[in-house]
Amino acid sequence: MMSKSYTNLLDLASGNFPIMGRERRRLPRVMTVAGVISELDDDQANSVSSDVPSSVMQDRIIIVANQLPVKAKRRPDNKGWSFSWDEDSLLLQLKDGLPEEMEVLYVGSLNVEVDSNEQDDVSQLLLDRFKCVPAFLPHDILSKFYHGFCKQHLWPLFHYMLPFSANHGGRFDRSLWEAYVAANKIFSQRVIEVINPEDDYVWIHDYHLMVLPTFLRRRFNRLRMGFFLHSPFPSSEIYRTLPVREEILKALLNSDLIGFHTFDYARHFLSCCSRMLGLEYQSKRGYIGLDYFGRTVGIKIMPVGIHMGQIESVLRLADKEWRVEELKQQFEGKTVLLGVDDMDIFKGVNLKLLAMEQMLKQHPKWQGRAVLIQIANPARGRGKDLEETQAEIQASIKRINEKFGQPGYEPIVFIDRPVSLSERVAYYTIAECVVVTAVRDGMNLIPYEYIVCRQGNSVSESNSEFSGPKKSMLIVSEFIGCSPSLSGAIRVNPWNIESTAEAMNEAISMVEPEKQLRHEKHYRYVSTHDVAYWSRSVFQDMERTCKDHFRRRCWGIGLGFGFRVIALDPNFRKLSIDAIQSAYLRSKRRAILLDYDGTVMPQTSINKSPSQEVISLINTLCGDVKNTVFVVSGRGRDSLSKWFSPCKKLGIAAEHGYFVRWSADKDWEICGQSNDFGWIQIAEPVMKLYTEATDGSSIETKESALVWHHRDADPGFGSSQAKELLDHLESVLANEPVAAKSGQYIVEVKPQGVSKGVVAEKIFTSMHETGKQADFVLCVGDDRSDEDMFEIIGNAMTNGVLSSNTSVFACTVGQKPSKAKYYLDDPSDVITMLDALAEASDSPPSSDGESASP
C-alpha cells in the first residue's frame, strides 16, 4: 500500500526547511505513463507506475553526475556562452561501452555560474546540441552542498579522516546536510523533466548524489536505476560515525545496482548494511545481491579503466614529439621517477618526497642521478588542512634540494600548474618509474595511463624511444583502488618511509627483462579492461538486475529517507476486513490458526504475556461453536498454557507443533516421530562451546528442542559463528532423528517431522475425519516457520482435506515476500481484524460452548 501522507524529504533534514519554489520549465518531455501531466508535476504526487506499454520502444540512458561532460566559456563579447565536450570526462568516455543504438542523455551542473535570465536559453542549447540537461544550483546551496557537505564531511570521511576537532575536518553541520538534500532534489527535478520512466535507465555517479535514488524511486517505483561510487567506501567503524548514516544507506538501496571499484569497498558497504540495517547479502552464481523488501539490490565490483583511444591519439600528436625531445635533453643522463597527483591531503605527496630523501641517504649512488618529477594538479577542495599540506610539501622540497642539489641537478622537480594530457604523456615517456603513494584513493588511473604510454603505438615505432622492448615500473600504494589490478607493481605502505624508499631503489635498479615482463602483464590487463569494458559490464548487470521490474507489483511506503519500494507477487495484497468478515459470516466450519510472537504480540514488547484484549478476543472466537481456534507457536507449552489459562476452549500447538492440546481439559499430545532425546547430550556441549566463544549469544532449552540465539552478538561474528555451528551440528548429529536449521538470529535443533505445517495439516485432517471439514481457514503468522502453514493449505485443498470452495485467508504480518496471499502491516492490524471477526461471531463467550476438539 502506498503511503499517501508524503512529507517532503527536506523536512526530514530540518523540521522547518522551506520547500523550494518551482523553476520555469522549457524542456520537452515525452510522457509514456497513463495519467495527467499536472499530477506528475506535483511533488506531492503518488509514485508513477503503469501497466500501459510504452509508445517508445528504444531504450535510453540518463547519466546523472555532479558535473556535465562539457566545458563552458563566456564569449569574448560577453554575450552568451560557448560550449564544447570535455574529452577527459569519464561520463563522455563511458558511451563507448553502451549499445550503439542507445541514446545517452546527461544531467548535471556546469562548472560556471549562469545568470538566472540566461538559464532557459542555456538549457535549450545544451539539450539540442549536446543532449545535456543542466541543473542550476543557487549559489548558497552550491557552496554548502559542494564545498560544505561533500568536501568537508563526505570526502574526508570516505578517506578515513574523522573530525576529531572543529579544526580537523570540521564537525557535522546540519545546515550543510540540508543543502546536500536540497541539491539532490534539484537534480531529481531535472531528471523528472525529461525521463520516460518505463523506457529509460538512470545511472547516477559518485558521492555527490547519494540520496538522489530516493527522490527518483519515490516518483517512479519501477524505474531502472544504477549507482556507481568512484571514491572509497570506508569500513563500518568509520562510516557509522556519520550522523546521517542510515539515511544515506537507505537512499542508496533504492537503486537497483550499486557499483564499487574493489571488493574491499563493496565489503565495507555490505558490512554497514548488515550492522546498521540488519541486511544480509547472498552470492548466487557469481552475483552478489541484497534482499531489500522483496527487491534484489545488485552489488557490482568492477574497477574503471582508461580510454585507450584517447591516450593513443595523444601519442600520435606531433606536438608531443618536440616536448619529449625537450624533456630528454633536460634530464639527459638522469633516471626519472614521476609522480602525478591532485593537490589534496590524501595523495601522500609529502610521504613520497620523504621516501625520495631516504633513498638518496641510503643509496648515495643515486645522488646526482635520480630525479623525482612531481606534477601537482590544482586543488579541487579548500581549507586549512590543504594549506598545511601545501606548506609541508614546499618545505620538504626546499630542504631536499638544498641538501642533495648540485649545479645543474635538483633531485625534486615540482610542477605546480595544470598539465594537459599531451604534456603528461611526454613526461610518462621519459619516466623510468611512476610512484603513487596516496594514503587513500578511490581508483587512480595514473598508473594505467603510464603503462599505455610506455607501450607506445605503431606510428611511433620509428621513434627510438619505442623501437626497443617495452618496459615500465610502478610503485603503488596498497590503499588505492587500482592496486589489486596491478599484480606486477611494487606495492607499498606509504606511511612506511623506509620501505617506500627501498621500493624506489628496487624499481630503478631492476634488470631490464624483469621490467619488460611486468610491463607486458600490466599492458595486457589495462588494454583489455578499458573504460568501455567497465561501462559495458556495469550496464549489462543493470539490465540483468532490472529485467523483472515490470512483471512485479510494487508499493512505495515510508516517509522521508525511510521510503522504500516493496516488490511482491501481483496477487499479494492487503487483507480486506470487509472481505474476510463477509466470508466469515457465510461459513459453517472455521479453522483459525494464529502465531503468537510478532502476530498477536509485537516482537519489540518486553512483557510477552498476552493483553486482556487479546484474551477477550480469543475467548469470543472460541465461544463460537463454528470455530476451531489454535495458537501455533515456537514457545514452550508451560508458558503458553499459563498465559492462555483463561481461554478454556483454545487449542495450543507448542514448540512448533511438537506438543498439541485441543483444549484446556484435554491432555497434551506428542506429535514428534521420536521420543528419544539422547541427541541433547551431543548437541548441548557443542552449543555451549560456541556460546562461550561468542559474546552476546545464549542457549534456550525447550522440552523438545535446543535453540542457540545470537541476536545480541556482533552481527558479522554472530552470523559467521552461526554458519560454523550449523555445519558442526549437522556433522555430529548426522545419525540422529533430528533436524538442525538456521533462522533469524538462531540455530535450532529439533526432532524431525516437526513443523507448523505438520500441525496445521493435522488440525485440518482431524476436522475432515470427524465430518467438520473447514470451509473457512484463517492462518496468520510473521516469520519463516509460519510459511510452512501457508504452504500446507494448498496441499490440503489438493488432496481433499479442505474443499476447493474453502475460503482461505493465509496472511503474513508485514509487507514482505511470502507464500501467503495476504498481508497485514503489524500486530495492531491483526488485533483489529480479529476484533471484526469477534463482532461477527454467532455467540459471546459462554461456559457451555464447544471446545476446539473436533
Side-chain angles (χ1 to χ4, degrees), residues 759-833:
V759 77
E761 187 174 38
K762 180 182 176 69
I763 294 167
F764 300 147
T765 303
S766 183
M767 293 176 70
H768 175 65
E769 289 174 349
T770 55
K772 299 176 180 178
Q773 186 183 51
D775 59 355
F776 173 96
V777 173
L778 170 63
C779 183
V780 191
D782 76 306
D783 65 17
R784 190 183 301 175
S785 65
D786 299 305
E787 295 295 315
D788 294 334
M789 287 197 293
F790 304 147
E791 185 175 20
I792 210 70
I793 292 173
N795 298 339
M797 295 179 76
T798 303
N799 59 31
V801 173
L802 290 175
S803 165
S804 59
N805 296 322
T806 302
S807 298
V808 175
F809 296 90
C811 179
T812 189
V813 180
Q815 295 185 40
K816 57 182 181 286
S818 172
K819 292 171 184 172
K821 276 194 171 184
Y822 300 95
Y823 72 89
L824 289 169
D825 288 323
D826 50 40
S828 65
D829 270 6
V830 176
I831 300 302
T832 302
M833 180 269 295

Side-chain angles (χ1 to χ4, degrees), residues 337 347-364 366-367 370-372 374 392-393 396-397 399-400 403-404 409 411-412 433 435-438 475-477 492-506 508:
L337 297 94
K347 292 301 188 284
V349 174
N350 197 56
L351 294 175
K352 190 187 304 181
L353 300 175
L354 296 177
M356 181 69 178
E357 181 181 29
Q358 181 68 19
M359 185 191 78
L360 295 175
K361 280 183 188 174
Q362 292 295 112
H363 303 279
W366 294 114
Q367 294 179 18
V371 176
L372 172 63
Q374 177 61 54
E392 190 178 25
I393 288 170
S396 295
I397 292 170
R399 185 185 69 253
I400 296 168
K403 186 174 182 180
F404 296 102
Y409 167 74
I412 308 294
C433 174
V435 186
V436 182
T437 54
I475 298 170
V476 297
S477 164
V492 296
N493 172 4
W495 299 102
N496 188 333
I497 305 298
E498 291 78 12
S499 173
T500 306
E502 285 305 312
M504 287 178 169
N505 176 61
E506 180 187 350
I508 56 181

Side-chain angles (χ1 to χ4, degrees), residues 603-814:
Q603 290 281 16
T604 54
S605 178
I606 297 174
N607 180 8
K608 293 296 184 181
S609 60
S611 66
Q612 190 56 47
E613 180 186 17
V614 170
I615 295 293
S616 174
L617 287 173
I618 288 179
N619 260 332
T620 302
L621 293 171
C622 290
D624 190 325
V625 294
K626 296 180 180 180
N627 294 345
T628 298
V629 185
F630 263 85
V631 167
V632 185
S633 172
R635 286 191 174 271
R637 58 179 174 173
D638 290 341
S639 55
L640 289 174
S641 57
K642 177 183 175 183
W643 289 340
F644 290 102
S645 56
C647 305
K648 303 300 182 185
K649 302 164 194 173
L650 174 67
I652 296 176
E655 299 193 14
H656 295 117
Y658 185 83
F659 297 107
V660 176
R661 188 181 73 183
W662 289 85
S663 64
D665 59 354
K666 295 290 193 331
D667 294 330
W668 287 97
E669 300 173 15
I670 295 176
C671 299
Q673 297 175 357
S674 171
N675 294 330
D676 179 12
F677 290 98
W679 57 267
I680 291 179
Q681 307 305 317
I682 303 171
E684 193 169 35
V686 175
M687 284 192 174
K688 284 183 177 178
L689 182 71
Y690 282 81
T691 304
E692 290 171 6
T694 312
D695 187 40
S697 64
S698 61
I699 300 173
E700 178 188 359
T701 303
K702 299 180 180 180
E703 289 184 74
S704 68
L706 286 177
V707 186
W708 187 74
H709 295 266
H710 62 94
R711 182 180 291 275
D712 296 329
D714 176 88
F717 185 54
S719 177
S720 172
Q721 289 289 78
K723 291 174 184 175
E724 288 290 327
L725 174 58
L726 182 64
D727 185 57
H728 197 158
L729 289 170
E730 286 175 340
S731 175
V732 299
L733 297 172
N735 299 318
E736 300 295 326
V738 293
K741 292 184 177 181
S742 63
Q744 192 170 24
Y745 299 111
I746 66 163
V747 174
E748 184 173 24
V749 182
K750 62 182 181 181
Q752 288 176 347
V754 174
S755 74
K756 289 186 177 183
V758 172
V759 77
E761 187 174 38
K762 180 182 176 69
I763 294 167
F764 300 147
T765 303
S766 183
M767 293 176 70
H768 175 65
E769 289 174 349
T770 55
K772 299 176 180 178
Q773 186 183 51
D775 59 355
F776 173 96
V777 173
L778 170 63
C779 183
V780 191
D782 76 306
D783 65 17
R784 190 183 301 175
S785 65
D786 299 305
E787 295 295 315
D788 294 334
M789 287 197 293
F790 304 147
E791 185 175 20
I792 210 70
I793 292 173
N795 298 339
M797 295 179 76
T798 303
N799 59 31
V801 173
L802 290 175
S803 165
S804 59
N805 296 322
T806 302
S807 298
V808 175
F809 296 90
C811 179
T812 189
V813 180

Side-chain angles (χ1 to χ4, degrees), residues 217 254 292-293 295 555-559 561-566:
R217 184 66 70 193
N254 275 318
Y292 190 57
F293 295 97
R295 293 171 51 244
W555 285 270
I557 64 169
L559 301 176
F561 288 112
F563 177 83
R564 65 268 187 204
V565 165
I566 295 178

Side-chain angles (χ1 to χ4, degrees), residues 125-327:
L125 175 68
L126 286 171
L127 182 66
D128 294 342
R129 295 188 185 176
F130 297 90
K131 293 187 179 177
C132 289
V133 180
F136 299 108
L137 303 181
H139 183 74
D140 57 331
I141 289 180
L142 173 62
S143 179
K144 289 183 176 181
F145 155 67
Y146 184 75
H147 293 293
F149 196 75
C150 289
K151 288 300 181 183
Q152 286 183 31
H153 289 317
L154 290 181
W155 178 257
L157 189 79
F158 280 25
H159 290 74
Y160 288 73
M161 179 178 169
L162 292 173
F164 288 116
S165 68
N167 295 326
H168 185 73
R171 297 284 193 219
F172 178 80
D173 184 337
R174 177 72 51 179
S175 69
L176 301 185
W177 163 244
E178 291 166 359
Y180 183 81
V181 174
N184 276 247
K185 181 176 175 63
I186 293 172
F187 278 90
S188 75
Q189 290 170 340
R190 303 303 276 171
V191 174
I192 289 167
E193 288 175 17
V194 293
I195 196 168
N196 262 328
E198 295 191 2
D199 292 315
D200 293 346
Y201 289 88
V202 175
W203 188 358
I204 303 166
H205 289 264
D206 223 3
Y207 66 98
H208 313 89
L209 302 174
M210 288 196 294
V211 300
L212 179 57
T214 290
F215 283 107
L216 296 178
R217 184 66 70 193
R218 177 178 285 282
R219 290 297 292 266
F220 310 112
N221 285 347
R222 295 175 180 177
L223 183 62
R224 299 176 292 186
M225 177 165 49
F227 178 93
F228 199 95
L229 183 68
H230 294 276
S231 78
F233 195 92
S235 74
S236 60
E237 291 303 299
I238 297 291
Y239 180 79
R240 69 198 299 186
T241 63
L242 186 64
V244 289
R245 61 192 189 183
E246 291 185 7
E247 288 89 332
I248 289 176
L249 283 182
K250 289 175 180 177
L252 288 175
L253 290 169
N254 275 318
S255 305
D256 295 300
L257 184 75
I258 305 173
F260 301 91
H261 286 307
T262 72
F263 174 69
D264 271 351
Y265 303 160
R267 179 169 55 86
H268 294 157
F269 174 78
L270 293 170
S271 175
C272 288
C273 289
S274 171
R275 291 174 178 272
M276 294 164 212
L277 303 179
L279 302 176
E280 297 299 330
Y281 73 92
Q282 287 185 323
S283 183
K284 293 181 181 178
R285 296 186 177 182
Y287 297 110
I288 299 174
L290 275 167
D291 184 60
Y292 190 57
F293 295 97
R295 293 171 51 244
T296 298
V297 180
I299 303 298
K300 178 67 175 176
I301 301 165
M302 176 59 64
V304 72
I306 60 172
H307 194 283
M308 291 292 294
Q310 183 193 26
I311 301 291
E312 289 174 348
S313 66
V314 171
L315 280 170
R316 290 191 289 268
L317 288 177
D319 66 331
K320 194 256 330 180
E321 302 292 342
W322 65 261
R323 187 66 176 129
V324 170
E325 289 304 316
E326 181 184 295
L327 292 173

